[in-house]
Amino acid sequence: MKHIRKISTLLLFLTVIVISSSSCKSDDQYLLSPNDESNVLAELKFFEIQSGENRVLVKGIVEDANISEVKISWDAGINSMSIPVNATTSPDTIRALIENLDEKFYSFEVQTLSSTGERSKILKGGADVFGAQYADKALNREILSGFVLDNKLDFEYAPVATGSGIIDTEINYINTAGVSINLYIDSKQNSVSIPDYKNKSILKFRSAYIPSPNALDTIYSKFTETSFKANPKIVFIANGSADDAQIEWLRSNDFFVSTYGHDRLEEASQEKIDDLNNADLVIIGRSCSSGNFNGSSKTAWNALTVPLILNSQWIARNSRINWFNQASDPVPFTVSTTIMKAKIEDSTDPVFQNVTLEANDLLPWLSTPINLLYTASNTNGKVMVTSAPGEANNNEGGAMLYVRFDANVEFYEGAGESAAGPRTYFGFGADSGGSFYFQLTEDAKQIYLAEIKRMIDLKS
């Protein structure tokens, strides 16, 4: 999968100390005021400090009716606040929110006072205050995989580590209508399915952290941005299983390939025609019977607007789909121990950048036997690759191996026909000396792959 940043969860804990006067057993938890004999006033019945984002919440319960004030101090007494209380008829609860604190550990002292000057023992507690530094270190969940098909996005998060602090994840995406959508998943959910994802649009997500079990605030990590691109959808026209080697090769290169065996296209439903035109690419394989591509079927195939690649020399003839002015059968070369070389006609084209050409722009192209398509007249297509002179018992060479055709341009002078979308002839295989279907060399496969991607890009 593409464009995915590797991320991991973060384990951070913040300290929160809760002190209750009824449960404290050690005098180490109290600090006596200077006037010991005046420490007769009751302290807070319950005392808790909740850490938050640049703030803390100090909570407590006052039960002694003599208490009129609670004093809270921090930073070694440099800062303090007083809270008036009234517990004359029932216990009073204090909630003191202390804000604008730096991100560090704070010690707090809490003491009750009466209107006559009596004071309680001092209760101490502490808490880590978290802020921007914590947020900067709070990482997002890791995406393991993602797959888009027909606007449905399925992706998988790595499981959240126990104790990471992550409670949920916020996801923002753009749907097929161009609307920004937010959704939320909890920390136990790893699989996400979005039915209306706009292909290649930005998807953002961030994780919500609770730094400690009773933290006052939720901290969000920074958004991670990624995007998902649908695996290109290829419809492969095949007759049986003879083209399976090529189909599996396409799938190994991350294409989504479906097959269609209805060769006579004029008999197909409009729904099927729409399916073909909605694909990223159509490939007519070597296994198809050429007799199913003449007459009204030829017209239907040429009327498709989708980019289309043709592998069959027999189907390319003027008696069939009419891309080349050649009626007779492709010429057989049945020697089975030869790698036939090809002549690269334009070595500057980007499809050839990942291969090393021999002298005179030659390249080992395919293993024989092979049937070669020599044309009776020039083509209006751009000839990319031909058989090299002296190859396959032909001194002149020039058999069509790889040719591009622009949409709405007559295939050759006098053809009287053109295609409604971009076309590429990439022919190989033999029906002489046995049936052969996908004998391209590894270099030729790299060029074929580059041409497939170029054609798909024309659709997008």
Side-chain angles (χ1 to χ4, degrees):
M1 217 203 32
K2 293 106 178 150
H3 306 293
I4 297 178
R5 184 185 308 163
K6 292 297 181 183
I7 48 185
S8 62
T9 54
L10 173 74
L11 182 62
L12 284 179
F13 289 101
L14 300 181
T15 303
V16 176
I17 299 177
V18 179
I19 301 175
S20 172
S21 60
S22 61
S23 62
C24 295
K25 301 300 183 183
S26 171
D27 288 340
D28 293 339
Q29 307 223 22
Y30 301 96
L31 177 64
L32 299 181
S33 65
N35 188 359
D36 289 352
E37 63 270 15
S38 67
N39 287 283
V40 295
L41 195 64
E43 65 268 15
L44 293 179
K45 183 67 175 177
F46 174 78
F47 170 38
E48 179 184 12
I49 304 172
Q50 283 186 267
S51 60
E53 185 176 9
N54 299 113
R55 61 181 186 167
V56 298
L57 178 64
V58 179
K59 298 190 296 185
I61 298 176
V62 178
E63 291 187 341
D64 190 339
N66 295 315
I67 297 173
S68 61
E69 180 185 352
V70 175
K71 182 179 180 181
I72 304 170
S73 60
W74 63 97
D75 287 336
I78 297 175
N79 295 299
S80 64
M81 66 185 301
S82 292
I83 304 169
V85 298
N86 183 5
T88 56
T89 58
S90 63
D92 196 3
T93 300
I94 66 163
R95 293 175 60 89
L97 187 63
I98 305 173
E99 299 185 289
N100 300 316
L101 297 176
D102 293 331
E103 188 170 5
K104 64 178 184 179
F105 181 82
Y106 284 85
S107 293
F108 294 89
E109 296 182 351
V110 179
Q111 187 177 38
T112 63
L113 296 88
S114 71
S115 59
T116 58
E118 296 173 313
R119 290 169 289 172
S120 71
K121 295 177 181 179
I122 294 176
L123 299 180
K124 290 184 177 182
D128 275 308
V129 172
F130 46 88
Q133 294 179 30
Y134 181 92
D136 286 342
K137 295 177 181 179
L139 301 182
N140 277 319
R141 298 182 66 177
E142 177 186 0
I143 291 181
L144 299 178
S145 62
F147 184 78
V148 180
L149 180 63
D150 294 334
N151 298 317
K152 183 174 182 289
L153 167 62
D154 293 297
F155 65 97
E156 190 83 9
Y157 280 117
V160 171
T162 302
S164 68
I166 293 179
I167 57 171
D168 63 39
T169 297
E170 176 187 358
I171 300 169
N172 174 268
Y173 72 96
I174 306 299
N175 70 8
T176 50
V179 178
S180 177
I181 304 294
N182 278 5
L183 60 90
Y184 300 86
I185 62 169
D186 66 34
S187 60
K188 296 180 181 180
Q189 182 176 343
N190 299 326
S191 299
V192 181
S193 183
I194 297 174
D196 56 350
Y197 172 74
K198 183 179 179 181
N199 188 36
K200 297 186 284 188
S201 64
I202 295 296
L203 180 144
K204 301 188 297 183
F205 62 95
R206 63 179 182 173
S207 295
Y209 281 80
I210 293 294
S212 61
N214 68 338
L216 183 61
D217 297 309
T218 299
I219 293 293
Y220 286 91
S221 60
K222 293 181 178 179
F223 274 109
T224 293
E225 292 189 358
T226 187
S227 64
F228 297 88
K229 181 179 179 181
N231 287 35
K233 186 176 179 180
I234 296 175
V235 178
F236 198 99
I237 315 302
N239 183 15
S241 61
D243 281 309
D244 280 0
Q246 183 183 170
I247 292 171
E248 291 308 311
W249 175 80
L250 290 168
R251 289 171 175 161
S252 72
N253 281 284
D254 296 327
F255 298 110
F256 179 83
V257 183
S258 61
T259 58
Y260 175 53
H262 194 137
D263 292 340
R264 293 212 64 87
L265 196 62
E266 78 276 21
E267 300 174 7
S269 66
Q270 186 59 48
E271 181 181 6
K272 178 55 67 176
I273 298 296
D274 292 342
D275 285 344
L276 292 174
N277 279 325
N278 288 332
D280 294 296
L281 177 67
V282 170
I283 297 177
I284 299 176
R286 247 279 298 132
S287 64
C288 296
S289 172
S290 67
N292 288 326
F293 290 83
N294 58 9
S296 56
S297 185
K298 166 192 64 176
T299 303
W301 283 107
N302 286 332
L304 292 177
T305 58
V306 64
L308 186 147
I309 293 176
L310 173 63
N311 295 152
S312 171
Q313 307 94 313
W314 288 266
I315 294 174
R317 297 174 298 162
N318 59 14
S319 58
R320 300 297 188 256
I321 208 169
N322 196 24
W323 288 12
F324 296 105
N325 190 16
Q326 173 63 35
S328 59
D329 286 344
V331 177
F333 180 70
T334 58
V335 176
S336 60
T337 59
T338 300
I339 299 295
M340 193 189 79
K341 291 185 178 181
K343 174 71 168 62
I344 309 303
E345 300 293 342
D346 180 8
S347 60
T348 65
D349 192 275
V351 298
F352 303 114
Q353 66 181 359
N354 293 324
V355 297
T356 302
L357 303 182
E358 298 179 357
N360 300 316
D361 290 339
L362 300 184
L363 186 71
W365 193 253
L366 49 75
S367 59
T368 57
I370 180 67
N371 283 73
L372 296 169
L373 182 66
Y374 296 92
T375 62
S377 63
N378 292 332
T379 174
N380 287 337
K382 181 180 180 181
V383 179
M384 304 295 292
V385 178
T386 61
S387 60
E391 296 292 311
N393 291 337
N394 188 293
N395 292 330
E396 296 181 358
M400 298 293 104
L401 298 176
Y402 169 17
V403 182
R404 294 173 180 167
F405 298 93
D406 290 332
N408 303 311
V409 175
E410 191 176 31
F411 292 120
Y412 57 88
E413 298 301 324
E417 292 178 296
S418 62
R423 299 290 188 262
T424 293
Y425 170 75
F426 211 106
F428 42 77
D431 276 347
S432 302
S435 293
F436 299 86
Y437 295 91
F438 195 51
Q439 323 105 295
L440 295 174
T441 63
E442 289 305 311
D443 281 341
K445 286 180 180 178
Q446 288 303 307
I447 296 168
Y448 185 37
L449 180 62
E451 178 63 15
I452 289 170
K453 292 179 178 179
R454 186 193 75 89
M455 291 285 275
I456 288 172
D457 286 342
L458 293 178
K459 177 64 179 288
S460 60

